[in-house]
C-alpha cells in the first residue's frame, strides 16, 4: 500500500499536464474550422485527420508511459512521464506546424 500512493500521486500530477495538452488539442479541434471559414478557406477543407491525431497523441503517450512504468521504481516512472510529456509537446507542435505547411496545399484544391 505504501508504494501505491506515491505512484498514484505521480500519475495524477502528470495526468494534469497531459490533460492540459489534450485540452489544447481539443481547442484546436473546435477553433480551426471557424478560422478556416473566417479566412475564406471553407470548413470542408479542415484537415480533420490531423486534428484527431493531435487529440489522440497526449492520451496515447500518457497511457504508454504508465504501461512502461508499471513495476518500476518511482524515479523511473517519473522519468518516463517527463519524457512522455516532452514527446507529447513536440508532437503537438509538429501537428500545428504540419497544418501550417499543408494550408497552401488546401488553398490549391479546387472547390
Amino acid at each position: 500500500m505504501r508504494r501505491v500512493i506515491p505512484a498514484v500521486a505521480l500519475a495524477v500530477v502528470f495526468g494534469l499536464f497531459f490533460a492540459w495538452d489534450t485540452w489544447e488539442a481539443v481547442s484546436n479541434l473546435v477553433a480551426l474550422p471557424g478560422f478556416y471559414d473566417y479566412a475564406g478557406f471553407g470548413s470542408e477543407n479542415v484537415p480533420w485527420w490531423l486534428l484527431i491525431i493531435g487529440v489522440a497523441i497526449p492520451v496515447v503517450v500518457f497511457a504508454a508511459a504508465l504501461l512502461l512504468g508499471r513495476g518500476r521504481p518511482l524515479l523511473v516512472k517519473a522519468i518516463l512521464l517527463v519524457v512522455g510529456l516532452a514527446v507529447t509537446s513536440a508532437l503537438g507542435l509538429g501537428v500545428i506546424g504540419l497544418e501550417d505547411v499543408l494550408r497552401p496545399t488546401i488553398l490549391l484544391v479546387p472547390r
Side-chain angles (χ1 to χ4, degrees):
M1 183 71 164
R2 279 198 220 151
R3 291 178 49 161
V4 173
I5 293 173
V8 169
L10 183 72
V12 167
V13 168
F14 275 96
L16 293 172
F17 290 117
F18 281 95
W20 180 262
D21 283 341
T22 305
W23 179 258
E24 289 175 337
V26 168
S27 70
N28 287 339
L29 181 75
V30 170
L32 194 64
F35 169 74
Y36 269 47
D37 275 342
Y38 179 77
F41 303 152
S43 61
E44 65 275 359
N45 293 318
V46 173
W48 292 106
W49 60 275
L50 194 58
L51 295 173
I52 291 170
I53 288 173
V55 172
I57 286 172
V59 176
V60 170
V61 172
F62 181 63
L66 288 179
L67 285 175
L68 289 172
R70 273 183 57 198
R72 299 185 191 265
L74 193 61
L75 181 62
V76 174
K77 288 180 187 182
I79 291 170
L80 285 170
L81 287 165
V82 166
V83 169
L85 196 59
V87 167
T88 298
S89 296
L91 290 175
L93 286 174
V95 165
I96 293 169
L98 185 58
E99 187 277 327
D100 194 37
V101 168
L102 291 176
R103 195 176 307 142
T105 307
I106 293 169
L107 292 175
L108 296 176
V109 174
R111 292 186 191 174

